[in-house]
Amino acid sequence: MPAIELKTVNLANGETLGYREREGGDKIVLLVHGNMSSSKHWDVVIENLDSDYKVYAVDMRGFGISTYHKKVQSIKDFSDDIKLFVDVLGLSDFIMVGWSTGGAVGMQFAADHPRLCSKLVLLASASTRGFPFFGLSADGKMDFSYRLKTMDDIHQDLARTIPIQTAYNNRDKDTLKAIWNAAIYTKRQPEEAHYDEYLEDMITQRNLAEVYFSLNTFNISHHHNGLTEGTGQVERINIPVLVMRGDRDYVVLENMAKEIMEDLGDNATFVELEDCGHSPLIDNLDLLLSEMHKFMKQEEPAK
């Protein structure tokens, strides 16, 4: 198995991003992680992706070993960091793979820099219209008529921000594990030592509320998402896109994948991952890699 190196790179904006690099062929794959994770959570994909590909997996600002000097305010902040990252490393004509929040980052990047990215893979991705955050009613249940709006709303959120941030602050792995088992690892869990590595990695996150705010306000569609007007930038994503969602995903719901497909139109292909939740990497890695390889190796028709 090719060696995986953990490196850092200094960006022009003063941030330093960590990343994992695996040697391979001439084709380049850039992996962008989701919330409550980092490049560490891509480990099983990095280890098993076809050796034809050279692989980079980045720690976004405020995750993993990356710095967090300036707070993010939007998905575009993360995307702009990745543009600086690929500029420093001289990467182009690569396939970008975004998981969950990383999918939103990937879509923003592809819209802003259509010539840098050749294909886009969206795995359990937030919608082109964002990921809505709702508050709680007086009886403690989710109130879908109460959309959180401001950063203060997010910071005071009793459903997600406060309990998860408290678990981070207290290094409370039991609570984090309970959350992931209830929402993400609903079918399979990593083996114990591996799971503990992931939990240690989660605790490195320094931008939880800012990520939630960014997802809540993200909207590159032509629709109003209930909070923000769409920018219409989805029109600029003219590369092939593979949209994958597990049929047991309790985080990214079916309607979000449908919104992506509606907004991307003919550029996108949808694949449902059978009996998978929000982490097909753990639920069925072979199926995930098979669909990724099929899409990545597919030749584009002559124009």
Side-chain angles (χ1 to χ4, degrees):
M1 180 174 28
I4 301 170
E5 296 183 74
L6 182 58
K7 300 180 177 182
T8 60
V9 62
N10 297 323
L11 305 186
N13 63 4
E15 301 289 347
T16 298
L17 297 191
Y19 67 99
R20 284 171 165 81
E21 181 180 339
R22 192 207 75 179
E23 290 301 323
D26 295 332
K27 302 171 185 176
I28 297 172
V29 175
L30 175 59
L31 304 172
V32 184
H33 62 83
N35 192 34
M36 298 184 72
S37 61
S38 77
S39 63
K40 167 65 183 174
H41 280 66
W42 284 114
D43 55 3
V44 292
V45 170
I46 300 171
E47 291 163 6
N48 292 282
L49 204 64
D50 195 304
S51 59
D52 287 350
Y53 300 97
K54 179 163 186 176
V55 184
Y56 296 87
V58 64
D59 287 353
M60 291 191 288
R61 190 196 314 182
F63 294 93
I65 65 170
S66 294
T67 59
Y68 195 51
H69 299 315
K70 185 176 180 181
K71 289 187 176 183
V72 296
Q73 300 291 322
S74 67
I75 292 296
K76 183 170 169 57
D77 286 341
F78 288 124
S79 173
D80 288 347
D81 284 352
I82 290 178
K83 173 59 165 60
L84 296 175
F85 172 81
V86 301
D87 284 351
V88 174
L89 295 182
L91 306 183
S92 61
D93 193 30
F94 51 83
I95 299 168
M96 182 178 279
V97 183
W99 177 24
S100 196
T101 298
V105 175
M107 288 188 285
Q108 183 69 64
F109 183 94
D112 286 340
H113 312 290
R115 296 183 182 178
L116 279 176
C117 188
S118 59
K119 290 183 178 181
L120 180 62
V121 178
L122 302 176
L123 175 61
S125 174
S127 170
T128 39
R129 307 174 198 180
F131 189 105
F133 283 81
F134 300 98
L136 298 179
S137 61
D139 60 2
K141 296 180 180 178
M142 196 67 68
D143 182 355
F144 295 105
S145 67
Y146 173 35
R147 176 78 173 258
L148 303 182
K149 296 179 180 179
T150 68
M151 188 71 82
D152 282 344
D153 289 342
I154 296 289
H155 275 288
Q156 295 166 22
D157 175 31
L158 291 169
R160 292 156 296 257
T161 311
I162 290 177
I164 294 173
Q165 189 61 57
T166 300
Y168 283 168
N169 295 345
N170 296 334
R171 294 185 54 82
D172 182 357
K173 294 181 184 178
D174 288 340
T175 293
L176 294 172
K177 191 171 185 178
I179 291 169
W180 275 62
N181 286 348
I184 298 169
Y185 294 147
T186 55
K187 179 186 175 185
R188 288 199 177 99
Q189 292 83 44
E191 63 90 16
E192 190 173 350
H194 196 187
Y195 206 152
D196 192 66
E197 291 175 5
Y198 287 162
L199 293 166
E200 283 287 341
D201 181 69
M202 287 178 211
I203 295 168
T204 67
Q205 183 178 5
R206 285 139 283 153
N207 56 13
L208 182 70
E210 291 89 344
V211 173
Y212 287 159
F213 178 79
S214 298
L215 286 169
N216 197 35
T217 55
F218 179 69
N219 188 1
I220 59 169
S221 76
H222 287 287
H223 302 271
H224 195 285
N225 66 5
L227 182 63
T228 57
E229 192 65 58
T231 65
Q233 290 174 295
V234 68
E235 283 187 356
R236 302 182 62 186
I237 301 177
N238 295 313
I239 56 175
V241 182
L242 173 63
V243 180
M244 291 188 287
R245 177 186 173 271
D247 59 1
R248 302 173 65 253
D249 193 334
Y250 303 141
V251 178
V252 168
L253 303 181
E254 185 179 8
N255 71 293
M256 297 182 191
K258 287 181 176 178
E259 288 172 353
I260 295 173
M261 293 301 297
E262 179 184 332
D263 293 341
L264 289 177
D266 293 341
N267 293 320
T269 301
F270 178 73
V271 171
E272 183 173 80
L273 300 176
E274 184 177 354
D275 203 23
C276 287
H278 194 59
S279 179
L281 299 81
I282 299 300
D283 284 340
N284 194 334
L285 179 64
D286 289 343
L287 175 61
L288 173 63
L289 291 175
S290 173
E291 294 296 344
M292 286 176 61
H293 285 141
K294 191 187 309 180
F295 173 73
M296 294 191 300
K297 293 176 183 291
Q298 186 176 0
E299 294 292 331
E300 293 185 53
K303 295 182 179 179

